[in-house]
CSV table of all heavy atoms in Angstrom, one decimal:
chain,number,residue,atom,x,y,z
A,51,GLY,N,-10.1,17.9,-0.7
A,51,GLY,CA,-8.9,18.7,-0.8
A,51,GLY,C,-7.9,18.2,0.4
A,51,GLY,O,-8.2,17.1,1.0
A,52,THR,N,-6.8,18.8,0.6
A,52,THR,CA,-5.8,18.2,1.6
A,52,THR,C,-5.3,19.4,2.4
A,52,THR,O,-5.3,20.6,2.1
A,52,THR,CB,-4.6,17.6,0.9
A,52,THR,OG1,-4.0,18.6,0.1
A,52,THR,CG2,-5.1,16.4,0.0
A,53,THR,N,-4.8,19.0,3.5
A,53,THR,CA,-4.1,19.9,4.4
A,53,THR,C,-3.0,19.1,4.9
A,53,THR,O,-3.0,17.9,5.2
A,53,THR,CB,-5.0,20.4,5.6
A,53,THR,OG1,-4.3,21.5,6.3
A,53,THR,CG2,-5.4,19.3,6.6
A,54,PRO,N,-1.8,19.7,5.4
A,54,PRO,CA,-0.6,18.9,5.7
A,54,PRO,C,-0.9,18.2,7.0
A,54,PRO,O,-1.5,18.8,8.0
A,54,PRO,CB,0.5,19.9,6.0
A,54,PRO,CG,0.0,21.1,5.1
A,54,PRO,CD,-1.5,21.1,5.1
A,55,GLY,N,-0.4,17.0,7.2
A,55,GLY,CA,-0.6,16.2,8.4
A,55,GLY,C,0.8,16.6,9.2
A,55,GLY,O,1.7,17.0,8.6
A,56,GLY,N,0.8,16.2,10.4
A,56,GLY,CA,1.9,16.4,11.4
A,56,GLY,C,2.8,15.2,11.6
A,56,GLY,O,2.4,14.1,11.3
A,57,ALA,N,4.1,15.4,11.8
A,57,ALA,CA,5.2,14.3,12.0
A,57,ALA,C,4.7,13.4,13.1
A,57,ALA,O,5.3,12.4,13.3
A,57,ALA,CB,6.4,15.0,12.2
A,58,ASP,N,3.9,14.0,14.2
A,58,ASP,CA,3.6,13.3,15.4
A,58,ASP,C,2.3,12.4,15.2
A,58,ASP,O,1.9,11.8,16.1
A,58,ASP,CB,3.5,14.1,16.5
A,58,ASP,CG,4.8,14.7,17.0
A,58,ASP,OD1,5.8,14.0,16.7
A,58,ASP,OD2,4.9,15.8,17.6
A,59,ASP,N,1.7,12.6,14.0
A,59,ASP,CA,0.5,11.8,13.8
A,59,ASP,C,0.8,10.3,13.7
A,59,ASP,O,1.9,9.9,13.3
A,59,ASP,CB,-0.2,12.2,12.4
A,59,ASP,CG,-0.8,13.7,12.6
A,59,ASP,OD1,-0.8,14.2,13.7
A,59,ASP,OD2,-1.2,14.2,11.6
A,60,PRO,N,-0.1,9.4,14.2
A,60,PRO,CA,0.1,8.0,14.2
A,60,PRO,C,0.6,7.4,12.8
A,60,PRO,O,1.4,6.5,12.8
A,60,PRO,CB,-1.2,7.4,14.5
A,60,PRO,CG,-1.9,8.4,15.3
A,60,PRO,CD,-1.5,9.8,14.7
A,61,VAL,N,0.0,7.8,11.7
A,61,VAL,CA,0.5,7.2,10.4
A,61,VAL,C,1.9,7.6,10.2
A,61,VAL,O,2.8,6.8,9.7
A,61,VAL,CB,-0.5,7.7,9.3
A,61,VAL,CG1,0.0,7.2,7.9
A,61,VAL,CG2,-1.9,7.1,9.5
A,62,ALA,N,2.2,8.9,10.3
A,62,ALA,CA,3.6,9.4,10.1
A,62,ALA,C,4.7,8.6,11.0
A,62,ALA,O,5.7,8.2,10.6
A,62,ALA,CB,3.7,10.9,10.4
A,63,LYS,N,4.2,8.4,12.3
A,63,LYS,CA,5.1,7.6,13.2
A,63,LYS,C,5.3,6.1,12.8
A,63,LYS,O,6.3,5.5,12.8
A,63,LYS,CB,4.4,7.6,14.7
A,63,LYS,CG,4.7,9.0,15.2
A,63,LYS,CD,4.2,9.0,16.8
A,63,LYS,CE,4.4,10.2,17.5
A,63,LYS,NZ,4.0,10.1,18.8
A,64,ALA,N,4.2,5.5,12.2
A,64,ALA,CA,4.3,4.2,11.7
A,64,ALA,C,5.2,4.1,10.5
A,64,ALA,O,6.0,3.1,10.4
A,64,ALA,CB,2.8,3.6,11.3
A,65,VAL,N,5.1,5.0,9.6
A,65,VAL,CA,6.1,5.0,8.4
A,65,VAL,C,7.4,5.3,8.9
A,65,VAL,O,8.2,4.5,8.3
A,65,VAL,CB,5.5,6.1,7.3
A,65,VAL,CG1,6.5,6.3,6.2
A,65,VAL,CG2,4.1,5.6,6.8
A,66,ALA,N,7.6,6.3,9.8
A,66,ALA,CA,9.0,6.4,10.2
A,66,ALA,C,9.6,5.1,10.9
A,66,ALA,O,10.8,4.7,10.7
A,66,ALA,CB,9.2,7.5,11.1
A,67,ALA,N,8.8,4.5,11.7
A,67,ALA,CA,9.2,3.2,12.3
A,67,ALA,C,9.5,2.2,11.2
A,67,ALA,O,10.5,1.3,11.3
A,67,ALA,CB,8.1,2.7,13.3
A,68,TYR,N,8.6,2.1,10.3
A,68,TYR,CA,9.0,1.1,9.2
A,68,TYR,C,10.3,1.4,8.4
A,68,TYR,O,11.1,0.4,8.2
A,68,TYR,CB,7.7,1.1,8.2
A,68,TYR,CG,7.9,0.3,6.9
A,68,TYR,CD1,7.9,-1.3,6.9
A,68,TYR,CD2,8.4,0.8,5.7
A,68,TYR,CE1,8.1,-1.9,5.9
A,68,TYR,CE2,8.5,0.0,4.6
A,68,TYR,CZ,8.4,-1.3,4.7
A,68,TYR,OH,8.6,-2.1,3.5
A,69,ALA,N,10.5,2.6,8.2
A,69,ALA,CA,11.7,3.0,7.5
A,69,ALA,C,12.9,2.7,8.3
A,69,ALA,O,14.0,2.4,7.8
A,69,ALA,CB,11.6,4.6,7.0
A,70,ALA,N,12.7,2.9,9.7
A,70,ALA,CA,13.8,2.7,10.6
A,70,ALA,C,14.0,1.2,10.9
A,70,ALA,O,15.1,0.8,11.6
A,70,ALA,CB,13.6,3.4,11.9
A,71,GLY,N,13.3,0.2,10.3
A,71,GLY,CA,13.5,-1.2,10.5
A,71,GLY,C,12.5,-1.9,11.2
A,71,GLY,O,12.6,-3.1,11.3
A,72,ASP,N,11.4,-1.3,11.8
A,72,ASP,CA,10.3,-2.0,12.5
A,72,ASP,C,9.3,-2.4,11.3
A,72,ASP,O,8.4,-1.7,10.9
A,72,ASP,CB,9.7,-1.2,13.5
A,72,ASP,CG,8.4,-1.8,14.2
A,72,ASP,OD1,8.1,-3.0,13.8
A,72,ASP,OD2,7.9,-1.2,15.0
A,73,LEU,N,9.6,-3.6,10.7
A,73,LEU,CA,8.9,-4.0,9.6
A,73,LEU,C,7.4,-4.4,9.9
A,73,LEU,O,6.6,-4.5,8.9
A,73,LEU,CB,9.7,-5.2,8.9
A,73,LEU,CG,11.0,-5.0,8.6
A,73,LEU,CD1,11.7,-6.2,8.0
A,73,LEU,CD2,11.2,-3.7,7.6
A,74,THR,N,7.0,-4.4,11.1
A,74,THR,CA,5.7,-4.6,11.4
A,74,THR,C,4.8,-3.3,11.7
A,74,THR,O,3.6,-3.4,11.9
A,74,THR,CB,5.5,-5.6,12.5
A,74,THR,OG1,6.0,-5.0,13.7
A,74,THR,CG2,6.2,-6.9,12.4
A,75,ALA,N,5.5,-2.3,11.6
A,75,ALA,CA,4.8,-0.9,12.1
A,75,ALA,C,3.6,-0.6,11.2
A,75,ALA,O,2.7,0.0,11.7
A,75,ALA,CB,5.9,0.2,12.1
A,76,LEU,N,3.6,-1.1,10.0
A,76,LEU,CA,2.5,-0.6,9.1
A,76,LEU,C,1.3,-1.5,9.3
A,76,LEU,O,0.2,-1.2,9.0
A,76,LEU,CB,2.9,-0.6,7.6
A,76,LEU,CG,4.1,0.2,7.3
A,76,LEU,CD1,4.3,0.1,5.8
A,76,LEU,CD2,3.8,1.7,7.7
A,77,ASP,N,1.5,-2.6,9.9
A,77,ASP,CA,0.4,-3.7,10.1
A,77,ASP,C,-0.8,-3.1,10.9
A,77,ASP,O,-1.9,-3.5,10.7
A,77,ASP,CB,0.9,-4.9,10.7
A,77,ASP,CG,2.0,-5.7,9.8
A,77,ASP,OD1,2.1,-5.3,8.7
A,77,ASP,OD2,2.7,-6.5,10.4
A,78,ALA,N,-0.4,-2.2,11.9
A,78,ALA,CA,-1.5,-1.7,12.8
A,78,ALA,C,-2.2,-0.6,12.2
A,78,ALA,O,-3.3,-0.1,12.8
A,78,ALA,CB,-0.9,-1.4,14.1
A,79,VAL,N,-1.9,0.0,11.2
A,79,VAL,CA,-2.5,1.2,10.6
A,79,VAL,C,-3.8,0.7,9.9
A,79,VAL,O,-3.8,-0.2,9.1
A,79,VAL,CB,-1.6,1.8,9.6
A,79,VAL,CG1,-2.3,3.0,8.9
A,79,VAL,CG2,-0.3,2.4,10.3
A,80,THR,N,-4.8,1.4,10.1
A,80,THR,CA,-6.2,1.1,9.5
A,80,THR,C,-6.3,1.7,8.0
A,80,THR,O,-5.9,2.9,7.9
A,80,THR,CB,-7.2,1.7,10.5
A,80,THR,OG1,-7.2,1.2,11.8
A,80,THR,CG2,-8.6,1.3,9.8
A,81,VAL,N,-6.6,0.9,7.2
A,81,VAL,CA,-6.7,1.3,5.8
A,81,VAL,C,-8.1,0.9,5.3
A,81,VAL,O,-8.7,0.0,5.8
A,81,VAL,CB,-5.6,0.6,4.9
A,81,VAL,CG1,-4.2,1.0,5.5
A,81,VAL,CG2,-5.8,-0.8,4.9
A,82,GLU,N,-8.5,1.6,4.2
A,82,GLU,CA,-9.8,1.3,3.5
A,82,GLU,C,-9.7,1.8,2.1
A,82,GLU,O,-9.1,2.9,1.8
A,82,GLU,CB,-10.9,2.0,4.2
A,82,GLU,CG,-12.2,1.5,3.7
A,82,GLU,CD,-13.4,2.1,4.5
A,82,GLU,OE1,-13.4,1.9,5.8
A,82,GLU,OE2,-14.2,2.9,3.9
A,83,GLN,N,-10.0,0.8,1.2
A,83,GLN,CA,-10.2,1.2,-0.2
A,83,GLN,C,-11.3,0.7,-0.8
A,83,GLN,O,-11.9,-0.4,-0.3
A,83,GLN,CB,-8.9,0.8,-1.0
A,83,GLN,CG,-8.5,-0.6,-1.0
A,83,GLN,CD,-7.2,-0.8,-1.7
A,83,GLN,OE1,-6.9,-0.1,-2.6
A,83,GLN,NE2,-6.4,-1.7,-1.2
A,84,PRO,N,-11.9,1.3,-1.8
A,84,PRO,CA,-13.2,0.8,-2.5
A,84,PRO,C,-13.0,-0.4,-3.3
A,84,PRO,O,-11.8,-0.5,-4.0
A,84,PRO,CB,-13.6,1.9,-3.3
A,84,PRO,CG,-12.5,2.8,-3.7
A,84,PRO,CD,-11.5,2.6,-2.5
A,85,GLY,N,-13.9,-1.4,-3.3
A,85,GLY,CA,-13.7,-2.6,-4.1
A,85,GLY,C,-14.8,-3.7,-3.7
A,85,GLY,O,-15.1,-3.6,-2.5
Side-chain angles (χ1 to χ4, degrees):
T52 64
T53 190
D58 287 333
D59 292 348
V61 170
K63 286 181 175 181
V65 172
Y68 173 77
D72 178 357
L73 302 180
T74 64
L76 302 181
D77 296 347
V79 175
T80 304
V81 300
E82 188 175 304
Q83 60 186 319

